[in-house]
Amino acid sequence: MNLVITLILVSMLLLFLCKVPIYISMTLAGCVLMAVTRGMKWGILAQYLYTGVDSFTLLAIPLFLLAAKIMNTGGITKRLFAFCMKMVGWLPGGLGHVNVLTSLVFAGMSGTAVSDASGLGTIEIQAMNDNGFDNEFSCCVTAASSTLGPIIPPSIPMVIYATVSGASVGALFMAGIFPGIIMALIMMGVVAVYSIKRKYPRTKFPSVKEFFVAFKEGLPPMMAPVILLVGIYGGVFTPTESAAVVVAYSIALDLLLYHELTWKHFLNILRDTVRDSVTIAMIIAGATFFGYVATRAKIPQMILTAMTGTINNKYVLLLVINIFLLIIGCFLETASAITIVVPLLLPLLNQYGISLTQFGVIIVLNLMIGLLTPPFGLVLFVVSKIGRISIGQFSKALLPWLTALLAALLLVTFIPQISLWFPSFLGMSV
């Protein structure tokens, strides 16, 4: 049986490498595993493909995707960038800090790293290159800061994780705030070191008038995450409903204030949102089916036995899991990685008393680092295309930034209160 399972997992990996769509690869692997496992009926195939996406929580995904696309098309991101320029542009390597701060603010509206990289990235890289920054450095800070998207609420990966694990979406959203801020501060530290060493430019300190003009322009977009967090904490709407609120707010800004979103653009946005949402849904459906079959075949129990056979310490276990997730993140897309891996690790988390809320932040951060690494790092490819830099050169230049993100990961992993104290303070169950 162990040989059969090994062959199936290797076959699924080969299908991934051959660029067979992920949902097809997982569904095929699940069918083969079901065929060699006794006591399973083929009727469950349709049942679990359907139940995998039959979730109210998952409605947040297309809505957050829609909100991010509206903001990128309607000029909201440009105004955020201009405001952040006045806030931190005067620091050493000013535009590098602006890049990080803009990503931090935009993360409170988009929920995805790719939306950050593709939307803000074009503006940020062009501005930095025009002001004397090396293209390599501009691409690195843009890619690294985009990982803040799914850490700061709202977060599409956290919505998927909550669906699979049963953790509270609201608690997960609150748990990501301070880890995200710590990540931003660490990245700004890296920017400062590079900027002082290479003598990158900075802008002049803004006058009071300049600051308030930029603040006036940037305040409406910045109210989106405030409305979202206050609404969730105040019980006005659920985390899923908050996605609809962000969409409505984004449309209202463009229609009533900025007048930049045309009907043609909006139809294109809807088309792209449907395409991306269906892709994610099909991945979740295939992964749910594979996860069920794998559980019936006792693969999680085998992994549990293998990992706990020589480990009797929670922190050693977390270190091993982090290494495992970092490797997984290099090969699997975020949604599929969460839906495959989390059910396998849940018995371990429960056995060692690891908070599902804390682990949600850990797994999302791990997978965001995976987005920056070859061979399947999506953000790596997006920024490489925008910045016109080769994957090889880009990957090498990213090493210091990956080190900084790994430092943040270790802090979140071994100091649980970084992610847990705020939801606990708000009275949420963690």
Side-chain angles (χ1 to χ4, degrees), residues 186-358:
I186 291 175
M187 283 186 274
M188 292 178 77
V190 176
V191 169
V193 170
Y194 269 102
S195 300
I196 293 171
K197 182 179 179 180
R198 299 182 181 179
K199 298 180 181 179
Y200 284 140
R202 66 174 89 180
T203 62
K204 66 181 181 67
F205 195 85
S207 66
V208 174
K209 181 180 179 180
E210 289 173 332
F211 175 80
F212 276 104
V213 169
F215 179 77
K216 181 181 177 181
E217 286 288 311
L219 181 61
M222 289 191 298
M223 287 304 297
V226 174
I227 292 171
L228 186 148
L229 296 178
V230 171
I232 293 174
Y233 175 61
V236 179
F237 42 73
T238 67
T240 302
E241 292 167 345
S242 70
V245 173
V246 174
V247 170
Y249 186 73
S250 303
I251 293 175
L253 281 182
D254 278 316
L255 292 180
L256 303 178
L257 191 60
Y258 301 139
H259 311 291
E260 295 182 0
L261 184 64
T262 66
W263 181 246
K264 181 180 179 181
H265 284 150
F266 186 64
L267 290 178
N268 289 334
I269 287 171
L270 288 178
R271 182 196 62 200
D272 292 343
T273 301
V274 170
R275 180 197 63 205
D276 295 345
S277 300
V278 170
T279 300
I280 294 174
M282 294 175 79
I283 290 171
I284 293 173
T288 302
F289 169 66
F290 178 80
Y292 170 77
V293 177
T295 302
R296 286 290 303 271
K298 299 186 178 179
I299 291 179
Q301 292 88 328
M302 295 177 188
I303 294 176
L304 179 64
T305 302
M307 294 185 71
T308 58
T310 57
I311 297 175
N312 53 17
N313 182 284
K314 179 172 81 170
Y315 297 103
V316 175
L317 175 67
L318 283 171
L319 183 61
V320 171
I321 289 176
N322 272 325
I323 295 171
F324 172 68
L325 290 173
L326 287 170
I327 295 171
I328 289 292
C330 295
F331 295 96
L332 286 181
E333 185 272 338
T334 302
S336 56
I338 291 173
T339 47
I340 290 174
V341 170
V342 172
L344 304 182
L345 294 179
L346 278 177
L348 278 173
L349 302 179
N350 293 328
Q351 178 177 328
Y352 283 86
I354 299 171
S355 165
L356 292 181
T357 302
Q358 181 200 6

